Amino acid sequence: MAGALPTAVRLALLGDSIAWGQGAALPGDRLGPRLTEALQAHSIMAVNRVFAVPGARSRDLDNQVDQALDWNPHLALVVVGANDLTHREPMDAAVAALEGAVRRLRDSGTEVVVAPAPDLGAVPHVPGPLRDAVRAASDVLRRRQAQVVEAAGGHVADPDQRSSRAFARDPTLFSPDRFHP
């Protein structure tokens, strides 16, 4: 988005149920409206469109990117990885699918921010004895996602994992389903 900002920034949300807004108590609490409101608080007019699908995995991003590119977004937020972990998707394939999605978006001129795999070890209903193994798998996927996102010209959200640590410390940050924020 070099140069002057457009009249309204078109923000595309891609990925899984978190990007879609599952867990939000009200529609206005979903990620898209919250980000749009935050941008507007900084005098950046924005509109959002959600292409994310609950349950989506990285392999599902290609179709979402097709739809988003038809809208010609200025900025895309991709939230993906949790379902790859919960469904034990092959990590190489998941990482390659994310890299392809980021490259396609960047090639179109869209700025891309990726919120990679969260620490699923922080999820309240993960049994205690499995937390370390789940956390380790989350960390490996997150690191690999970050590498390909940056190599493809995208940006990684929450690089210091401050959000994951907050959820691990405070389970009240989870929605009533004890999985989504």
Side-chain angles (χ1 to χ4, degrees):
M1 290 189 324
L5 289 176
T7 303
V9 173
R10 288 186 302 276
L11 168 63
L13 287 93
L14 296 89
D16 58 26
S17 56
I18 295 171
W20 183 84
Q22 192 165 339
L26 301 168
D29 292 338
R30 292 179 178 171
L31 189 54
R34 291 183 68 183
L35 290 173
T36 300
E37 183 179 310
L39 288 168
Q40 291 172 354
H42 291 287
S43 301
I44 300 171
M45 296 309 300
V47 294
N48 77 81
R49 188 171 291 176
V50 178
F51 301 95
V53 176
R57 304 173 201 176
S58 294
R59 66 181 182 194
D60 300 315
L61 289 173
D62 201 41
N63 184 49
Q64 293 179 27
V65 170
D66 288 342
Q67 294 174 37
L69 289 177
D70 285 343
W71 188 53
N72 195 27
H74 300 107
L75 175 62
L77 173 63
V78 181
V79 182
V80 73
N83 293 316
D84 293 313
L85 289 164
T86 61
H87 290 81
R88 297 184 305 206
E89 290 289 323
M91 198 168 295
D92 289 343
V95 170
L98 175 60
E99 180 180 23
V102 173
R103 285 194 189 281
R104 286 183 61 209
L105 289 161
R106 290 295 299 132
D107 287 348
S108 77
T110 303
E111 288 293 331
V112 180
V113 177
V114 175
D119 173 10
L120 292 184
V123 172
H125 60 265
V126 171
L130 296 178
R131 286 191 190 282
D132 287 342
V134 171
R135 182 168 289 114
S138 299
D139 286 345
V140 169
L141 179 57
R142 180 184 183 87
R143 277 194 306 276
R144 292 198 52 202
Q145 287 176 312
Q147 290 170 345
V148 300
V149 166
E150 290 171 352
H155 306 278
V156 177
D158 196 28
D160 62 0
Q161 299 187 42
R162 187 174 9 174
S163 294
S164 289
R165 287 195 308 274
F167 278 85
R169 283 190 311 273
D170 185 0
T172 65
L173 294 174
F174 287 95
S175 66
D177 70 9
R178 300 177 66 209
F179 186 80
H180 295 93

